[in-house]
Amino acid sequence: MVVFVFEMDLQAFNQRILPVQGRLFRLAQMFLRNREEAEDAIQDVLLRLWTNRQQLESYHSIEALAVQMTKNLCLDRLKSHHKQKMQNDADVTSVQAAELSPHRQLENSDSASLIHKLIGELPEQHKLVLHLRDVEEYSFEEIEQVTGLNNANIRTVLSRARQKLRENYLKANNYESGY
Amino acid sequence: MNQDIEKLLEKYYEGETTIEEEKELKRFFQQEHVPAHLMSHAAQFGYFIEARNEYPSLTFGGELSALLDPPKQTPVRRFGSWLLRIAAGLALLIVGFLGGRVFQERSGGGEPLIATKESVSQAEIRNVLAFEKMNSTSASERIHAVNQSYDLSDVDKEITQLLINTLNFDPNINVRLAACQALQRFRNEDDVAESLVPSLAIQTDPNIQIMLIEVLVSIKEKRAVEPFQQLVRNQDVMEVVRLKAQQGVSELTAADV
């Protein structure tokens, strides 16, 4: 009887959490820049959510909560082993559209890992907002829920992050001028 | 088209584009032929699309559900590795082997073995004949326990007292008979003779009465004379028993002369 209730609970939990898992993973990977560590981090987050499942109902958005938790956990971990700088920058596996020529593919994967690295160098707030918007395609309302910033602030942070990323990319590639 | 894209890009860097417009930009930079002057914008959009396709590894889901639902998983997993199983098997073998050796060493000398056997059967007798257990044991179990007392080379007060209790109070006549027979063997113990005398007054079954008379006569128990005479006088007692008691009285008093 108890087991039955427990299983239903887990099933419900999985239904709500599984669709978000990929997002949490990508966010963790963006921060930690390492696949294993990212998996480990979201495992931790999901376990915490599961342990506190009774309180979950009171949250407006479980996804926003999970994203927040993932961000905080990743930042904590980065702080705790700050010294071991991630060498695994090239960890992004290139999933590319098949119709691109090998040359473009190679170029893309090179520049993608460069972009990945450059995003990693942005301030925390900037990379979070940029990631949520440009990778996960969050609406401003959703970003608001996660970051607590208001709409205008989000636009400002987003704009700065995009410009900074472009600037650094051009610098790295020795392009002569801005866009 | 390119002008639209350029305008969109401008809006994009100002943080003013909508999700739809951003999707359009991503689509544009995914094409094979991006105009050269826009090429420098392609990298980030390529990255965004690529990063979107990242997922936890396939094993992750399994590991997670094992973590979230441990009661069913852990006991099975704990003995999952072959090495552990082999180690556990070996440990069992060694324990068995050592246990066997220890047991053999202990039972090596003959006498200690008998001692242990005897104490075991004493305990068994006690266990079965204990007064409070009379209702839960069967008559044959109790007879068996009484008969086990024959194996004892040496009895203590406790055992004889148990047998006497059995003789006096066991509801089954056959058990009482067996107890009487067993006590006959221990008649030289101090308490036995003493307690057989009052038992005469308690017993109502002729078989036991006769056997008791025989036992008391054979040990020449003078104190039995008085109860024998009571038996003789008692009209309720069977004729055979009264005769036997009469014989007993004369035998005991004759020996006295």
Side-chain angles (χ1 to χ4, degrees):
Chain A
M1 198 57 175
V2 176
V3 175
F4 181 69
V5 170
F6 179 75
E7 274 176 355
M8 287 305 290
D9 225 1
L10 182 62
Q11 204 181 4
F13 178 81
N14 276 340
Q15 270 173 7
R16 303 180 74 168
I17 276 310
L18 278 182
V20 190
Q21 222 179 71
R23 291 201 159 155
L24 301 182
F25 170 74
R26 291 189 286 271
L27 183 69
Q29 203 181 29
M30 189 268 292
F31 275 116
L32 301 172
R33 297 159 79 179
N34 176 294
R35 178 168 266 277
E36 283 76 29
E37 283 186 51
E39 282 183 2
D40 194 63
I42 63 163
Q43 200 170 61
D44 208 342
V45 168
L46 295 176
L47 193 62
R48 282 184 207 186
L49 282 171
W50 170 244
T51 339
N52 297 312
R53 58 191 177 279
Q54 265 77 29
Q55 285 104 63
L56 288 189
E57 299 305 323
S58 59
Y59 281 90
H60 178 60
S61 159
I62 294 185
E63 178 174 337
L65 174 72
V67 167
Q68 260 174 357
M69 283 172 72
T70 307
K71 181 200 84 177
N72 293 337
L73 190 95
C74 289
L75 294 183
D76 281 354
R77 291 199 175 184
L78 282 178
K79 256 176 236 161
S80 69
H81 41 86
H82 191 66
K83 281 182 183 173
Q84 335 168 330
K85 267 284 181 186
M86 310 298 152
Q87 322 88 324
N88 282 315
D89 286 350
D91 202 42
V92 178
T93 48
S94 47
V95 184
Q96 281 291 328
E99 62 268 18
L100 292 183
S101 66
H103 177 253
R104 268 297 297 278
Q105 271 188 38
L106 183 68
E107 200 177 69
N108 269 12
S109 105
D110 278 354
S111 51
S113 60
L114 175 61
I115 294 284
H116 184 56
K117 179 171 161 270
L118 293 176
I119 290 177
E121 288 165 2
L122 293 175
E124 275 156 22
Q125 186 87 279
H126 288 210
K127 57 177 140 176
L128 176 66
V129 172
L130 184 74
H131 176 85
L132 291 179
R133 179 69 177 189
D134 282 344
V135 177
E136 300 296 348
E137 299 177 348
Y138 265 37
S139 69
F140 287 122
E141 291 74 39
E142 286 171 311
I143 297 176
E144 223 175 291
Q145 278 178 1
V146 174
T147 59
L149 296 173
N150 65 31
N151 195 300
N153 282 340
I154 293 169
R155 285 173 198 272
T156 314
V157 169
L158 191 59
S159 161
R160 280 191 195 147
R162 284 169 175 171
Q163 287 178 21
K164 187 73 188 166
L165 177 64
R166 165 136 188 92
E167 197 179 301
N168 290 346
Y169 178 75
L170 292 178
K171 249 186 237 164
N173 271 329
N174 289 321
Y175 277 96
E176 281 139 30
S177 60
Y179 48 94
Chain B
M1 174 78 182
N2 283 354
Q3 269 133 28
D4 288 350
I5 291 298
E6 277 164 42
K7 263 184 199 159
L8 276 185
L9 274 175
E10 215 166 296
K11 260 179 94 181
Y12 170 80
Y13 287 108
E14 293 305 323
E16 300 297 332
T17 39
T18 63
I19 299 267
E20 265 319 305
E21 289 167 334
E22 284 159 20
K23 279 182 180 162
E24 203 183 320
L25 282 171
K26 283 174 190 168
R27 276 197 296 275
F28 177 81
F29 285 104
Q30 271 296 95
Q31 345 163 52
E32 187 66 24
H33 301 290
V34 175
H37 70 287
L38 295 175
M39 202 56 196
S40 64
H41 299 278
Q44 54 199 328
F45 292 106
Y47 165 79
F48 296 147
I49 289 162
E50 201 177 279
R52 185 74 199 262
N53 287 319
E54 288 282 312
Y55 286 96
S57 51
L58 289 173
T59 52
F60 179 77
E63 283 167 26
L64 184 73
S65 58
L67 202 66
L68 298 187
D69 198 5
K72 275 179 284 170
Q73 297 281 337
T74 39
V76 181
R77 288 179 146 237
R78 208 163 278 163
F79 266 85
S81 112
W82 278 103
L83 264 179
L84 251 180
R85 288 188 202 180
I86 291 166
L90 276 177
L92 270 177
L93 259 178
I94 290 166
V95 166
F97 181 71
L98 288 179
R101 277 191 59 169
V102 167
F103 184 74
Q104 225 168 15
E105 270 169 35
R106 282 215 185 144
S107 55
E111 279 175 39
L113 179 66
I114 287 173
T116 44
K117 193 183 163 194
E118 202 162 87
S119 65
V120 163
S121 77
Q122 275 205 19
E124 249 175 81
I125 295 168
R126 265 175 222 150
N127 205 18
V128 177
L129 292 183
F131 190 67
E132 62 274 12
K133 288 204 178 155
M134 224 164 254
N135 290 325
S136 61
T137 53
S138 73
S140 63
E141 268 173 353
R142 296 198 299 276
I143 290 176
H144 179 71
V146 168
N147 290 340
Q148 270 184 326
S149 68
Y150 289 96
D151 298 334
L152 302 177
S153 50
D154 201 19
V155 286
D156 56 10
K157 249 185 170 176
E158 212 180 330
I159 293 286
T160 55
Q161 195 53 52
L162 262 176
L163 287 171
I164 290 160
N165 278 342
T166 310
L167 168 67
N168 289 342
F169 303 113
D170 198 283
N172 187 291
I173 170 151
N174 293 314
V175 180
R176 296 202 299 271
L177 266 177
C180 192
Q181 272 168 348
L183 281 167
Q184 199 174 358
R185 231 182 123 249
F186 303 126
R187 60 193 168 220
N188 297 323
E189 302 284 320
D190 306 333
D191 310 323
V192 174
E194 246 167 69
S195 47
L196 283 180
V197 178
S199 181
L200 260 184
I202 299 170
Q203 300 299 336
T204 51
D205 186 88
N207 286 308
I208 293 175
Q209 285 168 330
I210 289 171
M211 193 184 277
L212 264 178
I213 294 165
E214 278 173 358
V215 172
L216 287 167
V217 168
S218 73
I219 59 173
K220 300 185 172 59
E221 179 55 64
K222 294 280 180 338
R223 284 170 290 183
V225 172
E226 180 61 19
F228 279 7
Q229 285 168 340
Q230 274 174 14
L231 275 178
V232 174
R233 287 194 294 271
N234 191 343
Q235 295 298 319
D236 296 335
V237 176
M238 260 183 114
E239 187 64 31
V240 213
V241 180
R242 282 156 64 192
L243 264 176
K244 194 82 188 173
Q246 186 62 56
Q247 275 178 15
V249 172
S250 48
E251 268 192 57
L252 283 178
T253 44
D256 204 24
V257 178

